[in-house]
Amino acid sequence: MDEISLKALAKINLGLDVLGKREDGYHDVRMIMQTIHLYDRVEIKKTRSPHIHVETNLYYLPVNEDNLVYRAAKLMKDEFQIKEGVRIVLQKFIPVAAGLAGGSSDAAAVLVGMNRIFNLGLKQNKLMELGLKIGADVPFCIMETCALVKGIGERITPFAMPCDFHILLVKPAMGVPTGKAFSMLDFEKCDHPDCNEVIHALQQGDLAQLSSVISNSLEYSAFQLVPEIADIKHQLQSIGFEAVLMSGSGSTVFAITRKKELLRQAEKRFHNKTYFVCCTAIKQ
């Protein structure tokens, strides 16, 4: 195999609790993460040149070591003494700075893809170990499931849940820098969800209960940085969605329902604004 094309799936956070800051600068978190059917396309091809060449459809994205895709490819080349190079074509559909792990998922796809085309024979747990060197969300993106995630992202416990939910994503034009969102946290004022209650509501498929228990510690700072996020959340709640929350550090807000008509009405309502709007579903 000399080339491969992969889907890099986005995620949402169905609960995100920031527990505290560690001595190494990272934060300990406890969160529920779910893969969804919104994805980037990552194409990887071997080259005779030893270099890493990255192309993307977004002119403003870096194509050097500032891009997680490049860093993932370099990690694999360095770790396993790969002499050949790779040409990576990245087609972005997941919005940037959105709290959907687009960059982490792209990096995960590169690790998986290079493992296959170079016949490295690495198991999933080894790929996840390598992924953690690139970013905290990369191990989860390699697993692509629904899971309780602890630590900085390395302790992942998958669990089963119903998949008959419809999801609307709404993102304002402005994104939220993850580092800034964490730096502005006030641990006494921000929300701290009980992830066990969230898991119970999800496994029961009870959206009314889910609505009462989901929350995201990072909404506290994200709402201050981009007040439009709070406005989008309020609008989605007011038109009847059962569960509404900001994903990750923002700025995407997701709404969950089983009512297809509500989904269509809301999509039309937001589509005329300068927002990214997408109807999607949970990955089974």
Side-chain angles (χ1 to χ4, degrees):
M1 183 186 297
D2 289 329
E3 57 186 289
I4 192 170
S5 178
L6 297 168
K7 294 178 181 178
L9 277 69
K11 62 80 182 169
I12 55 174
N13 295 91
L14 294 160
L16 196 163
D17 186 11
V18 183
L19 305 176
K21 190 171 184 179
R22 299 155 42 120
E23 291 185 0
D24 60 8
Y26 285 96
H27 287 77
D28 277 312
V29 295
R30 183 177 169 89
M31 52 192 177
I32 309 296
M33 298 175 72
Q34 171 65 60
T35 305
I36 59 174
H37 282 292
L38 169 67
Y39 59 87
D40 295 336
R41 176 68 67 178
V42 181
E43 298 176 1
I44 310 168
K45 184 175 182 178
K46 291 181 184 177
T47 62
R48 292 182 180 179
S49 162
H51 304 297
I52 299 167
H53 179 74
V54 177
E55 300 174 18
T56 176
N57 59 323
L58 299 182
Y59 72 90
Y60 51 83
L61 287 185
V63 292
N64 54 18
E65 291 197 20
D66 292 327
N67 190 312
L68 295 185
V69 159
Y70 187 104
R71 287 167 55 187
K74 187 174 188 304
L75 175 65
M76 293 294 272
K77 278 178 58 63
D78 292 348
E79 192 83 10
F80 301 101
Q81 292 82 50
I82 297 171
K83 302 302 181 183
E84 298 129 298
V86 286
R87 176 176 177 264
I88 302 171
V89 179
L90 173 60
Q91 291 287 321
K92 290 290 296 179
F93 303 103
I94 303 170
V96 177
L100 300 175
S104 295
S105 188
D106 297 338
V110 170
L111 297 180
V112 171
M114 290 186 66
N115 181 44
R116 292 181 187 174
I117 65 174
F118 289 104
N119 299 312
L120 300 177
L122 304 176
K123 302 297 185 183
Q124 186 182 72
N125 61 343
K126 178 59 179 179
L127 289 172
M128 291 168 66
E129 180 185 318
L130 291 167
L132 192 61
K133 297 180 180 182
I134 301 168
D137 285 344
V138 178
F140 172 82
C141 292
I142 290 171
M143 186 172 281
E144 291 188 343
T145 185
C146 180
L148 172 64
V149 181
K150 300 178 184 177
I152 63 170
E154 79 283 10
R155 293 157 56 195
I156 304 172
T157 307
F159 65 90
M161 59 171 279
C163 296
D164 60 338
F165 302 143
H166 304 294
I167 300 171
L168 180 70
L169 305 175
V170 182
K171 179 194 175 296
M174 186 174 294
V176 176
T178 300
K180 187 70 171 176
F182 274 99
S183 70
M184 291 177 61
L185 270 176
D186 185 321
F187 290 96
E188 293 183 0
K189 293 181 179 178
C190 68
D191 291 330
H192 295 282
D194 184 329
C195 287
N196 291 328
E197 290 185 356
V198 175
I199 292 172
H200 179 75
L202 287 169
Q203 292 184 324
Q204 295 298 311
D206 188 339
L207 291 183
Q209 178 64 15
L210 183 65
S211 177
S212 68
V213 296
I214 60 172
S215 62
N216 181 341
S217 297
L218 293 173
E219 282 188 343
Y220 173 81
S221 47
F223 287 179
Q224 296 176 70
L225 291 164
V226 185
E228 202 170 5
I229 301 171
D231 179 60
I232 290 170
K233 182 178 180 180
H234 176 73
Q235 288 187 60
L236 289 167
Q237 290 171 326
S238 67
I239 61 179
F241 280 94
E242 292 92 333
V244 182
L245 194 66
M246 185 186 78
S247 183
S249 58
S251 57
T252 302
V253 179
F254 66 87
I256 302 175
T257 187
R258 288 189 172 97
K259 303 171 184 175
K260 289 185 178 180
E261 184 57 34
L262 177 62
L263 197 74
R264 285 191 289 266
Q265 291 174 1
E267 184 182 23
K268 290 179 182 178
R269 175 171 179 167
F270 286 99
H271 201 70
N272 292 329
K273 300 185 179 182
T274 57
Y275 296 153
F276 169 85
V277 182
C278 175
C279 295
T280 186
I282 286 171
K283 176 184 178 292
Q284 297 185 14

